[in-house]
Amino acid sequence: MKEIIHNKKWGKFNCFGIYAWLILGITSCYHKVQEEKNSVNKEIVQQQEKIRSFFPFPEIPAMLTQPEERKAYLIAHYWDNFNFADTALVNNRNITEQGIVDFLAILADGTLAERQQVECIDNFCGGLEQQAYAQKIFLQMMEDYLYNPNSPYYNEGLYVLFLKRMLESKYVDDLKKSSLLFTLQLINQNSLGQRAMNFIYYLPDGSRHTLYQTRVNKNRLLLVFYDPECPSCHDVMMEMLHDKLLQQEVDAGNLTVLAIYTEGNLDVWKTTISELPKEWIVGTDREEIKQRCLYDLKAMPSLYLLDGDKKVILKDVSYRKICSEIGIFSKCP
């Protein structure tokens, strides 16, 4: 599987302005924010003012004075004043995408119960689902932000809530629902705490093995699905290969690394095996995982941390998170 290429410049969008607005109690404009010394960057405030002229927040009742109360009301009514039928507005990335960023930042900040998240997503979907163009744009945007592992807003839990709501919609056609359902099923596989899906793999000598048969040192197995022809995969693999602390953990018998080539070019695989540490278990699944849809390999490399029983500890995470979990604090990306 080749890398998924996104043209997003994640750093362009921020949610600082929205939190300043909530905390300072501004209901109609951002001029008071500008007057607060050392509070909010002027450029950010001006950007937020411009956005709100096209996408105004709902008016929060004056009786709600506490930031948490204001936040709860805002997120519940966040999309009330957005015109989903306005294709020019929907196409305006600086407005629409900034709106999504602010929305997701609040949904995922840990202060809302799942019930509240469901209600907020239901309100959001209720507006976009009836407009064919808006539906198309927002479906893609939610996938990009919540389902792309490279996104700073990557959150499968929220994406599952969104998928479930859109699958209930009478405005989404059967073909699109089939695609959404397939994604939902993939996400629900190999969940945290569940036993990872078993698969067959073959070592360079042709011997046949399975994930469940693989012996694990010290109850930790780093499962790596990789493709040496994928540029982004290559970068992460190089980080791992040059990580002396990772190698020390493997050498000390504290961790087992199982690297599985999931593509179909066996010549490429065989010629690149020597680049990986001899202490790693390196195999190929001969494309079984993709054909049977056992794992969600949406981007490479795909990293899982399993325990000795092959239960999932970390699912499809960055190498930095793997390092943190196993106690390696080297120069992780």
Side-chain angles (χ1 to χ4, degrees), residues 53-276:
S53 67
F54 292 96
F55 180 9
F57 280 152
E59 183 175 352
I60 298 178
M63 68 185 69
L64 301 179
T65 59
Q66 297 302 310
E68 293 306 314
E69 294 177 322
R70 296 172 60 79
K71 186 195 305 182
Y73 185 92
L74 168 64
I75 198 66
H77 299 273
Y78 188 89
W79 297 97
D80 287 2
N81 298 324
F82 187 87
N83 185 2
F84 288 96
D86 186 342
T87 57
L89 176 59
V90 171
N91 275 332
N92 191 323
R93 183 171 181 260
N94 289 329
I95 296 175
T96 302
E97 201 152 358
Q98 181 66 64
I100 282 288
V101 166
D102 290 341
F103 181 61
L104 296 180
I106 298 178
L107 280 182
D109 71 358
T111 64
L112 299 177
E114 183 174 317
R115 173 188 56 79
Q116 292 174 296
Q117 292 176 329
V118 170
E119 291 175 355
C120 296
I121 290 175
D122 179 62
N123 182 54
F124 170 53
C125 293
L128 73 91
E129 65 185 349
Q130 299 183 50
Q131 304 297 328
Y133 187 74
Q135 182 187 128
K136 174 184 176 182
I137 295 300
F138 281 101
L139 278 171
Q140 186 61 57
M141 204 176 294
M142 291 292 277
E143 177 181 338
D144 287 340
Y145 274 94
L146 294 179
Y147 194 46
N148 173 12
N150 297 318
S151 164
Y153 300 92
Y154 174 59
N155 189 316
E156 283 192 349
L158 285 180
Y159 195 51
V160 164
L161 297 181
F162 175 71
L163 289 175
K164 287 181 176 179
R165 172 57 180 79
M166 293 305 289
L167 284 169
E168 295 174 353
S169 175
K170 64 181 181 180
Y171 300 100
V172 178
D173 62 52
D174 290 342
L175 181 61
K176 189 60 184 178
K177 281 188 176 182
S178 177
S179 176
L180 297 179
L181 180 59
F182 176 75
T183 299
L184 180 60
Q185 291 170 339
L186 274 180
I187 292 175
N188 287 334
Q189 292 178 173
N190 307 300
S191 298
L192 300 183
Q194 294 182 359
R195 202 176 191 199
M197 301 289 286
N198 197 20
F199 59 85
I200 298 169
Y201 65 89
Y202 300 85
L203 297 180
D205 62 9
S207 58
R208 179 183 182 277
H209 302 265
T210 69
L211 173 65
Y212 288 177
Q213 293 171 343
T214 304
R215 296 185 62 182
V216 177
N217 292 329
K218 296 293 180 69
N219 206 37
R220 288 294 182 271
L221 172 66
L222 175 53
L223 177 58
V224 182
F225 298 114
Y226 78 103
D227 175 8
E229 294 187 298
C230 165
S232 64
C233 184
H234 181 267
D235 292 342
V236 177
M237 294 295 285
M238 287 299 102
E239 291 282 348
M240 297 173 66
L241 295 179
H242 290 91
D243 189 340
K244 294 182 179 179
L245 293 180
L246 173 63
Q247 189 59 45
Q248 289 174 11
E249 289 294 300
V250 175
D251 290 343
N254 296 326
L255 175 72
T256 299
V257 179
L258 173 61
I260 301 297
Y261 173 68
T262 60
E263 304 307 301
N265 193 331
L266 293 182
D267 289 336
V268 169
W269 176 61
K270 290 178 180 179
T271 57
T272 57
I273 290 175
S274 60
E275 299 175 3
L276 302 182

Side-chain angles (χ1 to χ4, degrees), residues 1-4 147 182 186 225-234 260-265 285 287 289-291 293 295-302 316:
M1 175 171 295
K2 300 297 185 287
E3 64 176 334
I4 298 177
Y147 194 46
F182 176 75
L186 274 180
F225 298 114
Y226 78 103
D227 175 8
E229 294 187 298
C230 165
S232 64
C233 184
H234 181 267
I260 301 297
Y261 173 68
T262 60
E263 304 307 301
N265 193 331
D285 72 330
E287 299 188 275
I289 290 173
K290 289 196 301 182
Q291 292 172 3
C293 302
Y295 287 78
D296 187 5
L297 304 180
K298 54 183 173 289
M300 287 294 193
S302 187
D316 198 10

